Amino acid sequence: LQTGENVRQPPPGDADQVVTDCPGDPTDPATWRQRCTVAYLDEPPYSMPLAGAAPTGCDIELTGMVLGALGVRRVDFVLTTFGELIDGVTARRWHINAPMFITAERSRRVRFSVPVWAATDSFIVRVNDVRDFTSYEAIADDDSIRLAAVTGQIQVETALRAGVPNDRIVEFADQDAAAAAVLAGDADASVSTAPGNVAYIARLGDPRLVSVADSRAGERSGLPLGAFSFHRRSRELARAFDGQLRRILGTAGHLKMMARYGFDEAALRP
């Protein structure tokens, strides 16, 4: 298995520039078995670009484990924005999306793999902010709190269902922009997955920010599940990928790898 970077950073507000040349028809097994293109985000600990090298992260490693076992000869990784993931795979710009949360709406547009992890949310806030950020509901109850979120991510829907009004939700293209808004005072909290926020703050190394867990996550119905996604017609690729995933998930090697990125066993057997 060969891996390679295939990254073009988009200029602000120009997400179309991240797309690469079409990797071929993802419904053709000869295409993906020779060279498979995978889209991912800069979202530690799940996936992170490295200068001049293939990206890293738990989702990237799991992708390599699965495609390597399937005999794929080369894997190219494409760094993109969240808003481009589903559009990109449905337009056949790449074969596979790195994991995102499964929702009914997304399932109408893409084919999801079996779930690979479960994750609750947390809020990145300024360390000296004494307001209550311990849940979506607490944020909803405080009219002074503005919540930053990445456009298209499931956290926007969760916030709305918890009672946060739309005019207090500020959407951004990526996690960097959302966290920067908190530091600048243009938002008061930035929401994402708890493992993602902890890893992001560790990478950022800024003592002015802290992650506060959503303490009421267990009270809501169903823990959000993350999965890879494919073009809906990519049946052969999706079936092969799922078959190998089932052989890997929960094994000692898989659990050890995911533990390095901060996931415990409970989050890995959704």
Side-chain angles (χ1 to χ4, degrees), residues 146-150 168-172 177-179 181-182 187-192:
R146 297 158 298 169
L147 182 64
V150 175
R168 285 202 283 121
I169 300 173
V170 189
E171 297 187 33
F172 294 90
V182 174
D188 303 296
S190 170
V191 63
S192 188

Side-chain angles (χ1 to χ4, degrees), residues 86 99-108 110-115 225-230 232 238 242:
I86 290 179
M100 68 178 78
F101 283 123
I102 302 168
T103 70
E105 180 181 356
R106 293 171 186 170
S107 295
R108 287 190 284 270
V110 297
R111 179 183 297 271
F112 278 105
S113 72
V114 296
L225 305 177
F228 293 90
S229 55
F230 315 84
R232 287 193 61 82
D242 267 355

Side-chain angles (χ1 to χ4, degrees), residues 26 29 32-33 36 63 65-72 96 111-114 230 234-248:
W32 65 264
R33 288 191 184 277
C36 192
T63 302
M65 294 167 71
V66 172
L67 295 179
L70 290 175
V72 174
I96 304 172
R111 179 183 297 271
F112 278 105
S113 72
V114 296
F230 315 84
S234 296
R235 296 180 184 87
E236 200 268 354
L237 169 57
R239 281 197 297 265
F241 200 94
D242 267 355
Q244 195 57 46
L245 268 180
R246 290 189 174 95
R247 296 182 182 94
I248 291 173

Side-chain angles (χ1 to χ4, degrees), residues 136-219:
Y136 284 98
E137 289 79 7
I139 290 171
D141 288 342
D142 188 333
D143 292 338
S144 70
I145 296 177
R146 297 158 298 169
L147 182 64
V150 175
T151 299
Q153 291 198 341
I154 195 173
Q155 286 83 6
V156 175
E157 299 172 23
T158 305
L160 291 169
R161 287 197 302 269
V164 182
N166 191 62
D167 62 2
R168 285 202 283 121
I169 300 173
V170 189
E171 297 187 33
F172 294 90
D174 55 38
Q175 191 176 30
D176 284 332
V182 174
L183 280 172
D186 297 324
D188 303 296
S190 170
V191 63
S192 188
T193 67
N197 278 345
V198 170
Y200 182 82
I201 288 175
R203 184 177 73 172
L204 194 63
D206 193 322
R208 294 174 294 172
L209 295 176
V210 65
S211 176
V212 179
D214 175 17
S215 63
R216 296 184 61 179
E219 299 175 20

Side-chain angles (χ1 to χ4, degrees), residues 20-64:
T20 63
D21 294 335
C22 179
D25 185 352
T27 64
D28 179 0
T31 301
W32 65 264
R33 288 191 184 277
Q34 290 297 314
R35 183 172 182 173
C36 192
T37 306
V38 181
Y40 75 101
L41 306 176
D42 183 2
E43 191 175 36
Y46 306 99
S47 49
M48 298 155 278
L50 294 177
T56 187
C58 59
D59 289 345
I60 299 296
E61 289 198 37
L62 182 56
T63 302

Side-chain angles (χ1 to χ4, degrees), residues 104-127:
E105 180 181 356
R106 293 171 186 170
S107 295
R108 287 190 284 270
R109 299 190 61 198
V110 297
R111 179 183 297 271
F112 278 105
S113 72
V114 296
V116 296
W117 42 252
T120 57
D121 293 337
S122 74
F123 309 97
I124 292 178
V125 303
R126 294 181 294 275
V127 70

